[in-house]
Amino acid sequence: MQKQKRIGILTSGGDCAGLNAAIRAVVCRAVGTYDWKVLGIRQATMGLMNSPPDFIPLEIDTVDQLLTIGGTFLGTTNKGDPFAFPMPDGTTRDRSSEIIAGYHQLGLDCLIVIGGDGSMDIVRKIAQKGGMNLVAIPKTIDNDVGSTERSIGFDTAVNIATESLDRLHFTAASHNRVMILEVMGRDAGHIAISAGIAGGAHIILIPEIPYTLESICEKIRERQETGQNYSLVIVSEAVKTEDGETIKNINRLGQTRYGGIGQYLADKICACSGAETRVTVLGHIQRGGTPSPLDRLTGSVFGVAAVDLIAEGNYDCMVSWQNRQVVSVPIPEAIGKYSAVDPDGMLVKTARGLGICLGD
């Protein structure tokens, strides 16, 4: 008789919509098809650091209502490198062995990590060190994980940014204003380019394409001269100033975060065009809310596929969406590539074909 497997699942990094759909799919497939045990690890790798490990047994009835719920009911964290974990006295400690001990204490046959490239990289190093079997599911609203066309959370973020542009249209037109929407995008402009096209933005600024303020202001003046006295601008938070400076803020915990490019552009645009300008920073609103149907579908497909990889003994792999189907790729290959917006790709060509200014 085949041994009943015990698998753990955790969500790591920033939250996004569709995580619960993936957890639900993992449980439904693992329990319903293979009769395995599934343990949900709370607060990402923090749950495995605890002694005893912080987990909850997951059954189908436990996760049945999760499909439409945003965030992650297991909790997550995006700070505290286990190899240099910050301690209360200000020092750092390598706590990776505690995570390994937690994995083996729970008697896990495999761990499923749902995360971005950073989370996958860290957990894989721990797995390699401690003899842990690992399967990964990509999630990031930035959609910048390599080797996959789609990551959990991206579609919902684009929907929210698009809806925001839809709403800003009316205020911009009513007051003859330039409305700037600053969206997330750690290093890639996928949200900005997709939402900008779908939401009818007149100017889209992404980190992959350098811009000049004169080009932006020329577009606004052209619209003014033809009686279109308002403009919509969408900008990725990672876009730099015209001089190449990255705008970041340091919070009270000493953490550095992107933010402020929208206001920088507003001041410059107002000065060069005379247009009344307002800024909306969408921020974490892009992460929350009910997942879109596509993110529910993506999470469900990825969750089932991840369990099937374990059944096949195919470890150290990430599930990936390529050419309208799910395949597996080695985790090193996935995190070794970075998926930025292609300046010569179809979305950029589409934006230019629509007469959208990209700042260059």
Side-chain angles (χ1 to χ4, degrees):
M1 183 176 179
Q2 191 175 21
K3 174 182 176 289
Q4 184 184 50
K5 289 186 182 295
R6 292 168 61 88
I7 64 174
I9 182 169
L10 60 81
T11 51
S12 183
D15 73 300
C16 64
L19 294 174
N20 287 324
I23 296 168
R24 173 180 178 269
V26 166
V27 175
C28 288
R29 184 61 162 170
V31 176
T33 301
Y34 297 107
D35 193 30
W36 296 346
K37 295 292 185 182
V38 182
L39 307 182
I41 312 300
R42 289 193 171 109
Q43 300 302 317
T45 52
M46 295 285 291
L48 290 174
M49 283 185 192
N50 289 346
S51 184
D54 188 3
F55 74 96
I56 52 173
L58 299 180
E59 301 289 345
I60 292 176
D61 59 357
T62 309
V63 301
D64 191 47
Q65 304 300 316
L66 294 179
L67 187 63
T68 61
I69 298 175
T72 166
F73 90 107
L74 291 177
T76 187
T77 182
N78 60 357
K79 57 182 181 291
D81 180 353
F83 290 99
F85 194 85
M87 304 304 291
D89 62 0
T91 62
T92 60
R93 180 192 300 172
D94 183 351
R95 299 188 64 185
S96 59
S97 295
E98 298 173 46
I99 296 172
I100 295 167
Y103 173 93
H104 291 295
Q105 183 177 343
L106 293 176
L108 299 179
D109 294 288
C110 185
L111 178 66
I112 296 176
V113 57
I114 310 176
D117 53 1
S119 295
M120 283 188 262
D121 185 31
I122 290 172
V123 178
R124 182 178 186 272
K125 289 177 181 176
I126 297 171
Q128 294 289 301
K129 175 182 176 181
M132 300 161 50
N133 292 324
L134 184 66
V135 167
I137 295 175
K139 70 89 206 163
T140 167
I141 67 170
D142 295 339
N143 206 38
D144 57 0
V145 173
S147 301
T148 183
E149 298 167 9
R150 185 183 301 166
S151 295
I152 296 171
F154 173 65
D155 186 68
T156 302
V158 170
N159 286 358
I160 293 169
T162 301
E163 181 184 354
S164 300
L165 283 175
D166 291 345
R167 293 173 182 271
L168 289 173
H169 264 284
F170 301 110
T171 296
S174 297
H175 292 272
N176 296 331
R177 287 174 177 163
V178 173
M179 303 296 284
I180 299 174
L181 181 67
E182 181 181 316
V183 297
M184 284 183 167
R186 181 186 60 188
D187 297 301
H190 291 290
I191 294 176
I193 190 75
S194 297
I197 293 171
H202 307 109
I203 299 167
I204 300 173
L205 302 177
I206 58 176
E208 294 85 349
I209 299 177
Y211 71 92
T212 65
L213 289 165
E214 177 54 34
S215 178
I216 295 170
C217 290
E218 181 181 353
K219 176 67 174 181
I220 293 170
R221 288 193 294 265
E222 285 177 359
R223 288 180 53 76
Q224 292 171 333
E225 290 168 2
T226 58
Q228 298 170 305
N229 291 322
Y230 77 97
S231 296
L232 287 183
V233 181
I234 186 168
V235 56
S236 171
E237 63 184 358
V239 167
K240 299 179 180 180
T241 68
E242 192 178 28
D243 297 329
E245 178 186 354
T246 299
I247 300 181
K248 294 184 178 181
N249 299 302
I250 300 176
N251 63 21
R252 60 184 179 84
L253 299 176
Q255 299 166 332
T256 302
R257 296 286 184 267
Y258 283 122
I261 187 62
Q263 189 58 55
Y264 165 84
L265 290 169
D267 295 340
K268 298 294 185 179
I269 288 171
C270 182
C272 75
S273 69
E276 186 179 357
T277 309
R278 296 289 186 272
V279 181
T280 299
V281 180
L282 207 49
H284 286 79
I285 291 173
Q286 293 155 99
R287 293 190 178 278
T290 302
S292 69
L294 183 55
D295 270 329
R296 299 180 210 178
L297 177 62
T298 302
S300 298
V301 171
F302 280 172
V304 169
V307 173
D308 288 343
L309 285 179
I310 298 172
E312 297 163 3
N314 196 0
Y315 303 121
D316 200 25
C317 287
M318 182 191 82
V319 294
S320 167
W321 187 271
Q322 296 180 15
N323 300 318
R324 302 179 69 177
Q325 62 181 339
V326 174
V327 299
S328 67
V329 297
I331 293 177
E333 177 182 326
I335 63 179
K337 297 178 180 178
Y338 176 71
S339 179
V341 175
D342 182 358
D344 298 315
M346 184 53 64
L347 287 183
V348 171
K349 290 180 181 178
T350 299
R352 296 191 192 280
L354 293 169
I356 298 172
C357 172
L358 298 176
D360 56 350

